[in-house]
Amino acid sequence: MSELVSTRIRNTAGKLGLPHLAETIREYTRRADEGKMGYLDFLDLVLSEELAVRDDRRFRQGLRLSKLPHHKTLDEYDFSFQPELDPRKVKDLATLSFVEGKANAALLGPPGVGKTHIAVALAVAACRGGYSIYFTSLDDMVRNLKAAETAGRLTNKLGTYLRPGVLVVDEVGYQPLERAEANLVFQVISKRYEKGSIILTSNKTFSEWGQVFGDEVLATAILDRLLHHCEVISINGPSYRLKNRLQAIERENDVA
């Protein structure tokens, strides 16, 4: 390829918003020459590589904006430590069929069993699959919505929790809510109903949500919409955090 043609292609790629192509056109042509590619094969190579680069850029940007506390995957989850949890149920969720159907997923169990890890891993998978994601604890969401309501910006702030394809709501039930706060949660749940997926974690059974939301009728209305299309997974095994802490103590004692 002549320098003149190479320069023209780089300039055109830049104008088209394809900076990766502008930087790698010589590498593409080298691979095409070595593989004796025809025109269509060469075009397929360039477009496939550019699509992969763009998808990776979108994925990294999506994670950056998601507010996820970490980016752990299901490969990092120790299913052997939770023998009562069927890995197939979790991996079925990772196929994202529930996200495609705008359904929900609920992960229930005591503190420390890995509910948040799984919720985050599912969110990461959804982001990789092209869905927008957003993570919040229930307490943070309620606090932000209350502040927005006081400032007269509730409708705008609701959009933070309504726009994402997947909303992760962590730690439902750790703090009881007042009725006005529970009503804000109801607005999010009802407005997302059959329009976007929710992944939530809770240390309370659904029968205890009346206490969590301070109103049995409101809790029932929330559950009615949440559970209509929902995969529920209960994790009732030992605590990972306690296991890790005990192991750390044992190591400290061995050193001593």
Side-chain angles (χ1 to χ4, degrees), residues 92-138:
D92 281 347
L93 289 178
T95 65
L96 305 180
S97 58
F98 79 100
V99 177
E100 293 171 12
K102 296 179 174 57
N104 307 314
L107 303 164
L108 310 181
V113 296
K115 301 185 300 297
T116 300
H117 182 149
I118 293 176
V120 168
L122 293 175
V124 170
C127 186
R128 177 72 75 182
Y131 295 95
S132 56
I133 60 174
Y134 192 81
F135 178 97
T136 180
S137 69
L138 181 69

Side-chain angles (χ1 to χ4, degrees), residues 27 33 76 80 84 92 118 172 193 199 227 235 239-240 256:
E27 171 63 17
D33 288 341
E76 300 171 78
S80 66
E84 294 186 14
D92 281 347
I118 293 176
V172 175
Y193 176 61
I199 301 173
L227 298 180
I235 311 172
S239 168
Y240 282 103

Side-chain angles (χ1 to χ4, degrees), residues 59 62-64 66-74 76-77 114-125 127 133-135 168 170 201 241:
F59 172 64
L63 289 184
R64 187 180 69 81
S66 69
K67 305 296 185 182
L68 288 173
H70 52 75
H71 300 153
K72 292 181 179 178
T73 66
L74 288 182
E76 300 171 78
Y77 187 85
K115 301 185 300 297
T116 300
H117 182 149
I118 293 176
V120 168
L122 293 175
V124 170
C127 186
I133 60 174
Y134 192 81
F135 178 97
V168 181
D170 198 30
T201 73
R241 285 194 288 270

Side-chain angles (χ1 to χ4, degrees), residues 209-234:
W209 276 34
Q211 302 169 29
V212 173
F213 292 99
D215 186 296
E216 291 287 349
V217 174
L218 193 52
T220 299
I222 290 172
L223 285 170
D224 180 60
R225 288 158 178 78
L226 183 71
L227 298 180
H228 185 204
H229 309 291
C230 187
E231 297 290 337
V232 180
I233 293 180
S234 296

Side-chain angles (χ1 to χ4, degrees), residues 33-34 41 44 60 64 83 142 145 182 189 194 201 216:
D33 288 341
E34 291 180 354
D41 288 335
D44 181 58
R60 287 185 281 109
R64 187 180 69 81
V142 168
L145 290 174
I189 300 296
E194 295 187 333
T201 73
E216 291 287 349

Side-chain angles (χ1 to χ4, degrees), residues 174-247:
Y174 280 80
Q175 295 290 335
L177 302 180
E178 298 176 359
R179 195 182 192 287
E181 295 172 330
N183 185 61
L184 292 172
V185 177
F186 172 75
Q187 290 190 54
V188 174
I189 300 296
S190 62
K191 290 178 185 299
R192 288 191 63 89
Y193 176 61
E194 295 187 333
K195 294 180 181 178
S197 294
I198 295 175
I199 301 173
L200 68 84
T201 73
S202 179
N203 66 332
K204 303 293 186 182
T205 63
F206 293 132
S207 62
E208 298 174 292
W209 276 34
Q211 302 169 29
V212 173
F213 292 99
D215 186 296
E216 291 287 349
V217 174
L218 193 52
T220 299
I222 290 172
L223 285 170
D224 180 60
R225 288 158 178 78
L226 183 71
L227 298 180
H228 185 204
H229 309 291
C230 187
E231 297 290 337
V232 180
I233 293 180
S234 296
I235 311 172
N236 297 307
S239 168
Y240 282 103
R241 285 194 288 270
L242 180 58
K243 178 196 73 168
N244 293 335
R245 180 56 185 153
L246 291 175
Q247 289 176 342

